[in-house]
Amino acid sequence: MSTEPIKLDAARLARMVEVSRILNSTTDVDKLLTFIIKEAAVMTNTEAASILLLDPNTRQLFIKASSNDVPDELAATPVPLDSSIAGAILKSNQPLYIPDVSADPRWNQEVDEAIEFKTKQILGVPMRDADKSPIGVLEAINKLEGSFSRQDAATLAVLADLAGVAVEKARLFNELQQANKDLNELDQIKSDFISIASHELRTPLSVILGYISFLREEAGPEMANQLDSVLDAAIHLRNLIQDMLNFRYVATGASALNLDMLDLAKVIDEMNVDDDETAVAKQQTITINLPPFRLPVEADRDMMQVVMDNLISNAIKFTPQNGRIDISITRHGQECWLSVTDSGIGIPEDQLERIFRRFYQVEHALDRHYEGMGLGLSIARELVELHNGRIWAENLDGQGSRFTVALPLHRMVTGLLG
Ligand code: ADP
């Protein structure tokens, strides 16, 4: 039988368009294969059809779908590439018609015996991926009336090509999904580890802090300096652990959101920023500018406190002795803006976005003057975005930096004030 290209008749062409649509709409490989063999048998008017696929890892050929019930052990036995009809089709990457299988030495009748079936003729075509490399074989078995026509061969070839691409696409999709799942699992393990480790570290540290504070009170002048250093180190550790603990908000995400009508001005007021020990020690001036009217937002109080705490403690940390820190709350259209401006070391223009990445710090790790883990801003951004808000940093031309959080105003306010 000639294998020269032949045009499909209108009815087969219309059916093929429908088949292509269905193949493109599923990523379940088993469903795809079952659908293809059913279509192959119907469109070529044959008793049965089957698909053998090349295992991409072992490069062995296996029966993957058949109109007949193939026992599991048979499906798990590889079909030899060198001495089988399917192997010949795959290796030559060409269609093959066997009018009488009993006369073909490559015919293996074990399958027929196992499934109590009698194969007479086989029309087989390679299934190819998008690069035209063979990934399997589609076989139509035993023409129900007459013999196989060139239309049958063309139909099967087109079907096999559509199927090959669909199978490859489905496999890639599934691999991608699996990779995504693995990544999410890894991310979860990391988040769990951070949560558990920080939680476990906090308790012994509280004991240490308590005793050192007590000893510091009791100590004479000769011990005071040493104990101050120990106390500083323990406070440093507590801040690091707090950053790690805050990670739990990111891990739980939206499910932990406890939304309330929240006045950020009130939260700032209650934070007693003026009394911050580090700011006092560095003799920094902190000014707070609050609006004369309330600007409530719909937000989770604890999460917002984490965000503000982070911005303010960063401002204090990265601003030298006698520097200034301004905190302000203003209305911008339908948003409430919280800005923390400092006269500190500033942030290079090309780092303004990167500082919001996890563990990113402008200073090189080996050359650090400032404590921290580079987690605070990434947590702040995730929390703000959880509230449908935005957070960004600006460089004030060598005069320090400004961080702004923009949150949508509570619906009641936008309704009232317009
Ligand atoms: P951490 O402060 O623990 O290092 P953050 O995520 O809070 O982590 O900040 C990331 C980095 O952004 C900091 O290490 C610092 O390089 C830079 N940064 C943050 N806030 C300021 C600021 N107010 N002024 C200058 N640099 C800042």
Side-chain angles (χ1 to χ4, degrees), residues 243 310 314-315 317-318 342 345-347 355 360-363 368 372-378 401 403:
D243 262 3
N310 181 259
N314 271 353
K317 179 163 69 175
F318 294 106
D342 64 56
I345 60 169
I347 300 159
I355 52 172
Y360 189 84
Q361 298 176 311
V362 174
E363 269 194 321
R368 288 185 60 72
M373 278 196 301
L375 265 179
L377 287 179
S378 70
S401 43
F403 284 80

Side-chain angles (χ1 to χ4, degrees), residues 19 22 50 103 122 130 132 178 183 217 291 325 337 348:
V19 166
I22 296 172
S50 59
I122 291 181
K132 300 264 174 218
Q178 187 56 42
L183 268 178
E217 301 264 298
I325 290 149
W337 284 22

Side-chain angles (χ1 to χ4, degrees), residues 113-417:
E113 282 162 11
I115 61 176
E116 294 175 15
F117 184 80
K118 176 110 188 79
T119 302
K120 289 173 248 164
Q121 313 116 21
I122 291 181
L123 174 62
V125 291
M127 285 170 67
R128 294 183 278 222
D129 63 14
D131 298 330
K132 300 264 174 218
S133 304
I135 61 159
V137 174
L138 173 61
E139 292 179 342
I141 302 157
N142 300 351
K143 184 81 181 167
L144 286 173
E145 279 168 41
S147 49
F148 283 105
S149 64
R150 291 184 65 202
Q151 278 282 333
D152 291 334
T155 305
L156 207 60
V158 175
L159 192 59
D161 271 347
L162 288 177
V165 175
V167 167
E168 190 199 16
K169 216 177 70 188
R171 275 178 174 169
L172 285 176
F173 179 82
N174 292 330
E175 271 172 29
L176 210 66
Q177 245 189 353
Q178 187 56 42
N180 208 7
K181 202 167 143 235
D182 292 348
L183 268 178
N184 280 339
E185 270 172 23
L186 264 179
D187 200 52
Q188 187 60 46
I189 292 171
K190 180 211 64 204
S191 301
D192 288 351
F193 171 74
I194 293 178
S195 296
I196 294 168
S198 48
H199 199 82
E200 291 298 315
L201 287 170
R202 201 167 58 159
T203 316
L205 187 63
S206 308
V207 178
I208 294 172
L209 266 168
Y211 276 107
I212 297 172
S213 305
F214 169 73
L215 286 174
R216 173 70 182 83
E217 301 264 298
E218 300 290 304
E222 70 283 6
M223 286 298 286
N225 272 351
Q226 282 96 321
L227 284 171
D228 274 345
S229 305
V230 180
L231 195 60
D232 280 354
I235 290 171
H236 179 178
L237 209 54
R238 187 188 57 191
N239 294 342
L240 293 179
I241 291 171
Q242 191 56 48
D243 262 3
M244 287 163 71
L245 266 175
N246 289 339
F247 213 76
R248 71 187 183 281
Y249 289 116
V250 177
T252 45
S255 63
L257 257 183
N258 193 359
L259 292 178
D260 229 335
M261 190 153 153
L262 189 68
D263 185 1
L264 295 182
K266 201 154 170 256
V267 181
I268 290 196
D269 223 25
E270 287 166 6
M271 282 171 75
N272 293 322
V273 184
D274 291 336
D275 298 339
D276 184 282
E277 279 175 26
T278 318
V280 171
K282 286 169 109 175
Q283 297 180 320
Q284 292 168 336
T285 312
I286 300 185
T287 51
I288 301 177
N289 297 300
L290 302 178
F293 36 82
R294 275 164 29 94
L295 289 177
V297 291
E298 197 167 11
D300 182 303
R301 169 179 260 279
D302 291 346
M303 291 192 191
M304 278 308 125
Q305 195 152 352
V306 168
V307 174
M308 290 194 254
D309 220 31
N310 181 259
L311 296 186
I312 296 169
S313 59
N314 271 353
I316 294 171
K317 179 163 69 175
F318 294 106
T319 300
Q321 203 82 9
N322 300 317
R324 282 187 340 275
I325 290 149
D326 299 316
I327 303 167
S328 72
I329 291 183
T330 43
R331 181 178 179 187
H332 285 251
Q334 309 290 331
E335 289 180 330
C336 170
W337 284 22
L338 164 91
S339 296
V340 179
T341 310
D342 64 56
S343 63
I345 60 169
I347 300 159
E349 203 68 37
D350 62 343
Q351 317 265 324
L352 288 173
E353 260 307 298
R354 278 189 225 164
I355 52 172
F356 290 96
R357 289 188 201 157
R358 273 182 204 172
F359 301 110
Y360 189 84
Q361 298 176 311
V362 174
E363 269 194 321
H364 194 276
L366 298 176
D367 189 27
R368 288 185 60 72
H369 295 96
Y370 303 96
E371 64 177 55
M373 278 196 301
L375 265 179
L377 287 179
S378 70
I379 294 175
R381 175 164 272 179
E382 295 208 39
L383 296 188
V384 169
E385 288 180 353
L386 216 56
H387 287 79
N388 298 319
R390 294 166 289 133
I391 178 170
W392 66 93
E394 288 163 86
N395 178 27
L396 303 181
D397 290 332
Q399 315 272 318
S401 43
R402 173 178 300 131
F403 284 80
T404 306
V405 174
L407 291 172
L409 278 167
H410 195 283
R411 273 164 289 133
M412 268 178 63
V413 186
T414 47
L416 265 168
L417 298 177

